[in-house]
Amino acid sequence: MSFQKIPILDLKLAFDPETKPQFLHDLRDAMINVGFLLLKNYESLGPSEQELEQIKQQTIEFFALPDEIKSKCEMINSPHFLGYSRLANEITASHTDWREQIDLATELPGPKAYEPIYKNIEGPNLWPDAEAIPKFRPTIENFLAKMTNLSEQFRYLVLESIGLDQHALDAYFKPNQQCKMKLIAYPDRSALNGSTSVALNDTPDTNQGVGPHRDSDLITYIYQPTPHKNSLQVQNFQGQWVTVPNLPGHLVVNNGQTLEAITLGVCKATIHRVLIPEPGSGTRLSIPFFQTIDLDAYKAAVENIPEEVIQLRKERDKKIKDWAVDVGFQFQPDVNKHPVGYAVFKNRIKSHQDVAKRWYPEILQEVLQEYSF
């Protein structure tokens, strides 16, 4: 049988010599056989409880801003796919995502004119008016710094758990690596009555907060600041949906397609989705942080993965059924053929077609043609 629940790992056990072996065993199992886990006791490396409360408050305040303020930092004004997206303006698995969000990242300048087009994934943020929300930018930048440190240290443990040197992926990172994050608001079903899609001709009857997909980054970390229990779901390898518990003091951690590609499929990027919150439950907030790698990374997969680990991957793959849910077309990273930025850029084009139409109309047509077959 495939997994039926999401494992919980205690990070403090990784730093005690007596408990570290069992922690690494459990981490390896989560990376290979689930692709998701819940992580607790991470505050010494990442954000504190107080800092999480601060970013929750800034998220609430941002989504409460008047539309005219939010629209001034709308993503369509950014060639870097950063900024605010109004409700029902993104597409996943050929349907509208019924959510409102702002995409943010480590602050970097845009690429030079001579650099590859996919480098436009990186660039400066579109910040909301500081007079309207003065604590927003410093809170976001502090959160990005804390999560970047946590993700780096956790990456070392992931590699150690699958029998690799903890620095095996160092060449995939550059100084001041731009990591990404989102603030997301999922209105509950009753608040969506009468809503119309900006992106497509569909309705909230799809029950799609965000559609089935795999993340394209290395590893994702999600802070769930509201108490919704039945929204985030992971599909196991027999096609069953498993609900991710929302436990106070825990981060959701999941593998991305880039990690799967680099580890020869060992660390599985698992399909997941978010359902529209139940009527009357209020708006669900979610704050994912995406650990990325250098967009120019263009290397073969890591070498010297132990045969024992390869066998565990093969045993897992025997459980995977072909009739798992259709996630629609996604560009998958292949670091043997293209830099990782190639696939990341095309997936952003596909998801945010209004932005692509303004900044990259010719590439949008190519992407639409590629995934229409």
Side-chain angles (χ1 to χ4, degrees), residues 97-354:
D97 294 329
W98 293 91
R99 61 179 182 173
E100 179 185 9
Q101 63 188 359
I102 182 170
D103 285 69
L104 301 151
T106 310
E107 187 72 18
L108 288 181
K112 306 296 184 183
Y114 58 81
E115 293 187 283
I117 191 70
Y118 62 76
K119 295 281 284 188
N120 280 285
I121 286 294
E122 294 183 343
N125 290 288
L126 293 182
W127 297 103
D129 184 350
E131 290 187 6
I133 186 166
K135 295 181 181 179
F136 186 83
R137 180 169 180 171
T139 301
I140 293 297
E141 291 186 327
N142 177 67
F143 184 78
L144 280 164
K146 291 297 183 72
M147 289 303 302
T148 297
N149 182 66
L150 173 61
S151 65
E152 181 177 280
Q153 299 303 314
F154 194 74
R155 180 181 91 232
Y156 297 150
L157 293 168
V158 169
L159 292 171
E160 190 175 355
S161 77
I162 61 171
L164 295 172
D165 183 271
Q166 67 173 6
H167 296 291
L169 294 186
D170 284 3
Y172 288 86
F173 293 83
K174 64 181 180 181
N176 201 24
Q177 178 72 39
Q178 187 179 60
C179 292
K180 310 280 187 175
M181 65 174 291
K182 294 176 185 278
L183 309 179
I184 308 174
Y186 297 92
D188 73 26
R189 188 62 180 271
S190 57
L192 291 173
N193 289 337
S195 298
T196 57
S197 171
V198 177
L200 293 171
N201 185 26
D202 59 8
T203 71
D205 289 341
T206 59
N207 202 26
Q208 177 167 304
V210 61
H213 67 285
R214 299 177 180 90
D215 289 349
S216 63
D217 59 318
L218 194 78
I219 302 178
T220 302
Y221 300 77
I222 308 170
Y223 168 45
Q224 301 184 92
T226 50
H228 295 81
K229 301 292 186 184
N230 300 310
S231 290
L232 178 59
Q233 297 184 329
V234 182
Q235 188 189 52
N236 71 16
F237 306 133
Q238 274 72 53
Q240 300 166 322
W241 288 105
V242 178
T243 296
V244 179
N246 187 356
L247 303 179
H250 293 64
L251 295 176
V252 179
V253 182
N254 65 275
N255 299 335
Q257 289 179 307
T258 299
L259 182 62
E260 181 174 332
I262 291 173
T263 60
L264 298 172
V266 167
C267 296
K268 189 67 174 173
T270 316
I271 296 169
H272 53 288
R273 68 182 182 185
V274 175
L275 303 180
I276 294 174
E278 297 173 358
S281 63
T283 296
R284 176 181 180 264
L285 300 179
S286 179
I287 305 174
F289 169 91
F290 305 98
Q291 184 184 32
T292 62
I293 68 172
D294 184 356
L295 293 172
D296 288 327
Y298 183 46
K299 306 174 179 70
V302 292
E303 300 176 348
N304 304 318
I305 297 176
E307 183 59 29
E308 173 191 5
V309 173
I310 297 297
Q311 288 301 316
L312 290 172
R313 181 202 69 189
K314 291 178 178 178
E315 289 298 315
R316 176 205 67 210
D317 288 349
K318 292 177 183 178
K319 303 173 184 177
I320 298 176
K321 301 296 184 182
D322 292 336
W323 44 261
V325 69
D326 180 13
V327 298
F329 184 86
Q330 287 183 272
F331 293 95
Q332 298 187 17
D334 184 345
V335 291
N336 293 316
K337 294 183 178 180
H338 302 287
V340 69
Y342 180 86
V344 175
F345 181 66
K346 287 196 168 185
N347 278 325
R348 296 298 275 174
I349 292 279
K350 180 177 70 71
S351 294
H352 295 279
Q353 295 180 18
D354 59 334

